[in-house]
Amino acid sequence: MSTAETITPAFFGDGVPAEIGKIEKELKKLWQEQSTIATRASRLNLVVYSAADSSLRANTAVMRELTRDQACRAILVAARAKSPQNRLRAWVNAHCHLSKAGAKQTCSEQIAFLMEGTNANPKLVSSLVFSHLDSDLPLYLWWQGELPTEFDGRLADATSRIIYDSATWTNTKTQFGLVKELTSRRSVKAIPGDLNWTRASSLRLALAQFFDVPAAHLALDKADRLDLEHSPTGRTTALLLLGWLADALGWGSPEASGTTGNEFLCGRKNSTPVRVVLARKNGAVISRVTLRCGEGSVFTLTRAADSLFYTTQSFLSGADSIEQSIAADPTDPGHLVSEELARGGQRLTYLRSVAKVLSVV
Amino acid sequence: MSDTPAPATNPLREGLTMRPQPKPCTVVIFGATGDLTMRKLLPALYNLAADGDLPQSTAIIGFARREKTDEVFRQEMETAVRKFSRQTVKDELWNSFVQGISYHRSEFHDDEGYARLAEKLDQIDAERGTGGRRLFYLSVAPDQFGIIVERLKKYNLHKGKEGGWARVIVEKPFGTNLASAQGLNEVIAGTFDESSIYRIDHFLGKETAQNLMVLRFANAIFEPIWNNRYIDHIQITAGETLGVENRAGYYETSGALRDMIQNHLIQLMTLTAMEPPTSLKADAVRDEKVKVLRALRHMNSNSEVAANVVRGQYVAGAIMGEEVPAYRNDANVNPQSMTETYVGMRIFVDNWRWAGVPFYVRSGKRLPKSGAEIAVQFKCAPSVLFNQGGADSSNMLVIRIQPDEGISLRMQAKLPGGALRIEPVKMDFQYGASFGRPSPEAYERLILDAMGGDATLFARRDEVEEAWTFVDPILNAWHQPAKDQPPLTFYPSGSPGPVEADNLLAADGRAWRRI
């Protein structure tokens, strides 16, 4: 992320209340009332839906960071079904940042909706969203928490990317099933963007780099044990990582081994299965990955709690070890979503990885 | 690590990044204690590492004449990277990155130094798994190219080892005229295949220069009007407020034509004027660029040069409130110097698409503002309904290369109110506003491309030689006896250039864009 300074004029704050039918007018007023020269920028519509308490405030803070790198029109929708009142309220504000040169402010607009009581119906989200999109720009939908079993078809059809975090799901297998169902609809063009996959992007890159070296590459065929240490919330992250390795290396889908639920065997053609052991440990989401490949070849990646780096170390039979540090994946939501938005592709590797571990999630 | 026959592609790489990541190699920088290494090359390599784009085992060897240890060299590089890197240097990352850096002291002509280099490279291959892949970066004066590459050949370093490769990156100036460029090409071609030679032009590594092809060929609206039917003329500008600073020694033998026009601006011009390539492969793109160069209308006499090219030199003036001396009073400049610090010229591309469309190209030092851009001036709408007052109603598409990389389109709009008044307005796309992340430096992209074997953004031998073929007659005219030379004009520092350059366009009924 850039080091640009956030400019938050007093009237921006947490937003100016706006009548639902006059939101565009209120946004225009924001610009008219500005005393400094600012450029409105947007390259996408980012709709963020959450049913969690206090999500508007938290997501506004995320948008403030996110918009440093990703100019967008942010539309936050919070649903509070347990509220005693049935109402719909809105606020507008803008997140402004000084450009790198320090001379210009670039601002992203934000519209926040709070749906309360009977108005807190996910099916109403699309009616709010479609009235307030920045025309011609793609729509990215970040759905926080569990995906609804009946996803609004109109919203799904209009979405270019659906972003979610499989680490936050309680019924993971069902949720992955919903993603599969949703993204396989003929009318849906949305690409899945799992933040739980994004948070291990650099980690996968670091692991892959081990095997650019020809001798290490050859050792891959002898892989016989994989140990993954993950945080209490990182089990799905670890399983996705396993799915990725299994898919790329031609291993079979993991099958539970033993009674702990943390040990698996991945079959291989003409070879003994790879033993996989997951261990829960406080610290980084993935704090250690160890891949053993036959006699004496070990590839290890570690990340200490709060460290910004992965340390990789490889021991190949008959050779010195090499230890290196590389930048680790971000952990805060703003950086994570920014990373996700910066990525392209159809996510075919992700979908294959999910399929590989679906039986054990 | 022991080296083994190259296996198939790393299966874990699939789908990780949108671009193929190169395999680890050893980068040998000749002239490693020079300014370019400190300001650009090492910061670029560090930034690539910080972004996870540099293969982890990549090794860097600084090859230079001065006596120093690995440790001293590393410390110097750390200081330089901390000063010039676009990203803040993180200690943990640097400590990992620096493990791959070493220093190799040798004279460029010393055979023994190359013998030791060969041993060192083998050792690095064994220790770091760089697989016999070597990238030689010649950050040295052109007269050293031959000395270096001949010794690389003598010690068999011009070929990859055991399935690896050897490539050479050559910095400008690539020759001082056609003959010298051909000579350099011959020397390098005597050692490396053309496919392994990467002639760097850092303008081509800039985001907006790369975006030129995207703008033209990924948008359906531009290509149908990108021709002489709709375009009146094109202006390509690279100006800077600085004078020659501490480069007088080089600049006195170079001048603006060789320093900027022959390479950077003509490269931009080819990207602007070329036909759609059949693919994005390096040679497909470069084939089209060469066709543009071959279609340039040559100036075959002094009078043609005088009629189409204005050369100028800055005299004393003021820039941003500060008085600055004349070029001839700058340190290390000949007080009677005839070196041009400004060139403005009219170029025609004699092909079907561009017949009759002038390309006005200019570059100068000590201009009021620094910046590089391509401005496409479209023809005016018919003066039937709105443009009868003679006002300039033309649309202008400006592609800003630096600073504030972006694209703007000038169009006409009605002023609000009862009266029908039309004023130009500007639609402006700024990279920095829409994409907050800073673009990689040109050298980052180019070094990574060279590691990956992608030569698209590098100049091919025939491109370089064709560009010199076009420029040579101009240089020849300027080096005729004084009475036959097209005149050297003068312009005050801080002005937009010589009056004669304005007159060049005024004669065509046009004017330079305000910088």
Side-chain angles (χ1 to χ4, degrees), chain B residues 393-468:
Chain B
S393 66
S394 59
N395 300 116
M396 173 95 76
L397 182 73
V398 178
I399 300 144
R400 290 189 303 275
I401 309 293
Q402 63 180 26
D404 291 335
E405 297 173 319
I407 298 165
S408 69
L409 178 65
R410 186 182 73 181
M411 63 181 87
Q412 306 300 317
K414 178 184 170 298
L415 250 60
L420 184 59
R421 282 183 56 206
I422 296 174
E423 290 283 333
V425 292
K426 202 162 79 166
M427 285 201 312
D428 204 2
F429 158 70
Q430 296 175 14
Y431 266 89
S434 292
F435 306 100
R437 290 174 181 220
S439 301
E441 290 274 341
Y443 277 96
E444 294 172 35
R445 168 70 196 257
L446 294 171
I447 290 172
L448 203 59
D449 279 0
M451 285 180 173
D454 182 353
T456 310
L457 299 177
F458 295 84
R460 203 169 56 189
R461 175 177 183 161
D462 50 355
E463 278 183 80
V464 172
E465 293 183 4
E466 288 291 346
W468 279 119

Side-chain angles (χ1 to χ4, degrees), chain A residues 121-286:
Chain A
N121 180 353
K123 288 183 178 173
L124 296 176
V125 172
S126 64
S127 68
L128 287 175
V129 167
F130 285 114
S131 302
H132 299 97
L133 292 177
D134 206 337
S135 310
D136 299 324
L137 293 176
L139 164 60
Y140 286 33
L141 174 63
W142 179 11
W143 197 277
Q144 297 180 343
E146 310 275 320
L147 297 171
T149 48
E150 289 183 33
F151 209 94
D152 186 310
R154 195 171 154 225
L155 189 58
D157 290 355
T159 298
S160 297
R161 192 177 304 178
I162 178 157
I163 299 167
Y164 50 87
D165 188 348
S166 62
T168 64
W169 292 341
T170 48
N171 193 342
T172 312
K173 191 181 286 188
T174 305
Q175 289 287 305
F176 275 131
L178 287 172
V179 171
K180 189 178 177 188
E181 186 276 322
L182 186 66
T183 53
S184 58
R185 285 187 205 168
R186 283 188 68 182
S187 60
V188 172
K189 303 283 186 293
I191 293 165
D194 186 351
L195 297 179
N196 204 21
W197 179 255
T198 311
R199 68 167 54 89
S201 299
S202 298
L203 193 155
R204 290 191 297 276
L205 195 63
L207 287 177
Q209 289 200 357
F210 278 132
F211 306 102
D212 288 333
V213 179
H217 190 161
L218 290 174
L220 268 178
D221 288 339
K222 298 174 190 161
D224 51 16
R225 177 165 173 147
L226 173 67
D227 289 85
L228 295 166
E229 287 181 6
H230 62 83
S231 70
T233 59
R235 183 179 167 86
T236 331
T237 321
L239 286 172
L240 285 174
L241 195 62
L242 168 58
W244 170 67
L245 284 166
D247 174 64
L249 301 178
W251 303 349
S253 289
E255 291 176 12
S257 165
T259 55
T260 61
N262 292 324
E263 295 190 24
F264 308 92
L265 290 174
C266 293
R268 286 188 303 167
K269 271 184 191 169
N270 307 322
S271 189
T272 52
V274 181
R275 188 172 171 224
V276 180
V277 179
L278 268 57
R280 197 165 126 164
K281 189 178 178 186
N282 288 330
V285 179
I286 301 288

Side-chain angles (χ1 to χ4, degrees), chain B residues 247-268:
Chain B
R247 294 173 68 221
Y250 158 73
Y251 204 83
E252 272 286 89
T253 60
S254 164
L257 189 67
R258 289 187 177 112
D259 189 45
M260 294 296 294
I261 306 273
Q262 185 274 337
N263 37 61
H264 304 320
L265 297 199
I266 284 189
Q267 281 289 334
L268 292 181

Side-chain angles (χ1 to χ4, degrees), chain B residues 121-322:
Chain B
L121 286 166
D122 287 345
Q123 189 186 346
I124 288 172
D125 283 342
E127 287 174 0
R128 297 182 71 86
T130 38
R133 292 175 287 269
R134 288 90 189 254
L135 181 63
F136 299 105
Y137 200 119
L138 305 191
S139 178
V140 296
D143 59 359
Q144 304 293 316
F145 290 177
I147 294 167
I148 293 169
V149 297
E150 280 162 10
R151 279 157 185 81
L152 290 176
K153 186 177 184 181
K154 184 172 179 183
Y155 288 89
N156 217 26
L157 293 170
H158 63 304
K159 289 179 183 164
K161 277 192 96 171
E162 298 175 26
W165 44 254
R167 296 177 186 140
V168 63
I169 299 182
V170 185
E171 266 289 338
K172 76 158 195 176
F174 203 78
T176 53
N177 55 24
L178 177 60
S180 62
Q182 287 171 328
L184 284 174
N185 276 328
E186 283 303 319
V187 164
I188 298 176
T191 298
F192 290 94
D193 291 337
E194 178 62 26
S195 62
S196 300
I197 303 169
Y198 291 73
R199 299 173 189 83
I200 204 163
D201 185 328
H202 72 270
F203 261 53
L204 297 184
K206 290 180 183 292
E207 203 71 55
T208 330
Q210 294 168 48
N211 196 38
L212 245 172
M213 281 214 293
V214 177
L215 177 84
R216 288 189 56 196
F217 306 130
N219 294 290
I221 61 169
F222 293 117
E223 203 48 28
I225 57 171
W226 207 260
N227 53 50
N228 58 3
R229 192 169 170 196
Y230 296 98
I231 291 176
D232 180 75
H233 72 277
I234 292 175
Q235 294 187 18
I236 301 177
T237 301
E240 57 183 332
T241 55
L242 292 175
V244 287
E245 310 305 305
N246 55 1
R247 294 173 68 221
Y250 158 73
Y251 204 83
E252 272 286 89
T253 60
S254 164
L257 189 67
R258 289 187 177 112
D259 189 45
M260 294 296 294
I261 306 273
Q262 185 274 337
N263 37 61
H264 304 320
L265 297 199
I266 284 189
Q267 281 289 334
L268 292 181
M269 187 179 158
T270 58
L271 285 172
T272 309
M274 72 180 190
E275 296 298 317
T278 51
S279 76
L280 291 177
K281 288 184 177 163
D283 276 338
V285 174
R286 298 192 294 186
D287 284 347
E288 296 306 330
K289 287 164 66 186
V290 168
K291 285 181 196 168
V292 174
L293 292 167
R294 289 183 183 144
L296 297 182
R297 187 184 299 171
H298 288 206
M299 298 169 210
N300 294 318
S301 65
N302 288 4
S303 59
E304 282 184 13
V305 171
N308 290 289
V309 186
V310 173
R311 57 172 171 160
Q313 188 184 82
Y314 62 79
V315 296
I319 293 182
M320 293 179 218
E322 199 173 310

